[in-house]
Amino acid sequence: MASSWFRRGSTPSAEPSNAQAAQGKPLLLIGFDEATSSWEVGQEAMRVLQNIPGPLCTVSVCGRARQGKSFLLNQILSKFTSVDKPKGFVVSPTHQSCTRGIWIWSAPISMTGPDGRRCNTILMDCEGVDAVDQGQQHSAQIFSLAVLLSSIFIYNQIGAIDAIAIERMAMVCSLAKRIRDKALPA
């Protein structure tokens, strides 16, 4: 449903009540526990998601570390809430990444697509792929989770998309398709 909003010549429209969405905050949806070497679901984020009336759409932004993913999501939040500089996802001017795991914005943005259908949209911020302190498997897992959880997946990269980025997207899309196919009833 959400993908129909991005057809050429059509734009989703924000609802007047979206000023409340600017009052939200980032919540950890999925984090990695170093002590147990396992992924954990953030309970506060789960409670928030369970209380959002459907239909629900997710927009995630992934890409390499320190490429402006959180900044881009803050710009999207600003655009659809009409708040000039909302207190959004954490950004840092240093070379140290600040997003770990997958985070959501706690307040949905209500949108109406060109077809007239309404959807509560959740913004999802992902840990940078290829972060200096993370291995390739960790990066692939973050990327795969984001693809699987997304209605709309945005790959953000500064400059031209290189062969490594294309290979990564092909590998993760293939993995996500296999997971989806196994989850479907026979």
Side-chain angles (χ1 to χ4, degrees):
M1 167 187 355
S3 61
S4 68
W5 294 351
F6 291 94
R7 282 188 226 131
R8 183 175 293 183
S10 64
T11 306
S13 60
E15 303 295 320
S17 62
N18 279 335
Q20 185 177 8
Q23 303 305 313
K25 63 182 181 179
L27 296 175
L28 181 65
L29 177 63
I30 300 172
F32 189 75
D33 183 345
E34 299 286 341
T36 62
S37 296
S38 62
W39 294 100
E40 295 185 348
V41 175
Q43 294 307 305
E44 185 178 3
M46 284 306 296
R47 281 191 295 277
V48 165
L49 289 173
Q50 289 170 342
N51 289 319
I52 297 172
L56 183 67
C57 303
T58 55
V59 175
S60 68
V61 177
C62 281
R64 299 179 80 179
R66 307 301 306 143
Q67 298 281 309
K69 297 171 296 300
S70 301
F71 176 80
L72 177 60
L73 282 165
N74 288 340
Q75 295 303 304
I76 293 170
L77 186 60
S78 175
K79 165 78 175 153
F80 288 109
T81 60
S82 301
V83 174
D84 220 7
K85 292 184 181 176
K87 270 193 157 180
F89 292 96
V90 177
V91 294
S92 170
T94 69
H95 290 290
Q96 190 72 12
S97 33
C98 42
T99 304
R100 295 285 186 213
I102 298 177
W103 292 71
I104 62 166
W105 190 249
S106 67
I109 298 170
S110 181
M111 294 185 181
T112 302
D115 59 2
R117 292 188 290 178
R118 297 184 71 189
C119 182
N120 285 313
T121 304
I122 292 292
L123 301 179
M124 212 163 60
D125 191 10
C126 301
E127 178 176 345
V129 178
D130 297 335
V132 180
D133 57 346
Q134 299 299 340
Q136 192 173 14
Q137 180 180 354
H138 182 92
S139 292
Q141 289 171 338
I142 286 284
F143 207 82
S144 298
L145 285 168
V147 168
L148 290 167
L149 294 172
S150 299
S151 304
I152 297 173
F153 179 83
I154 300 170
Y155 184 81
N156 183 57
Q157 179 166 319
I158 295 175
I161 295 178
D162 57 14
I164 295 170
I166 291 171
E167 283 177 27
R168 181 178 298 118
M169 289 197 57
M171 184 253 330
V172 171
C173 288
S174 174
L175 175 63
K177 184 181 182 309
R178 284 197 332 226
I179 292 169
R180 187 197 66 207
D181 290 348
K182 286 187 178 190
L184 293 174

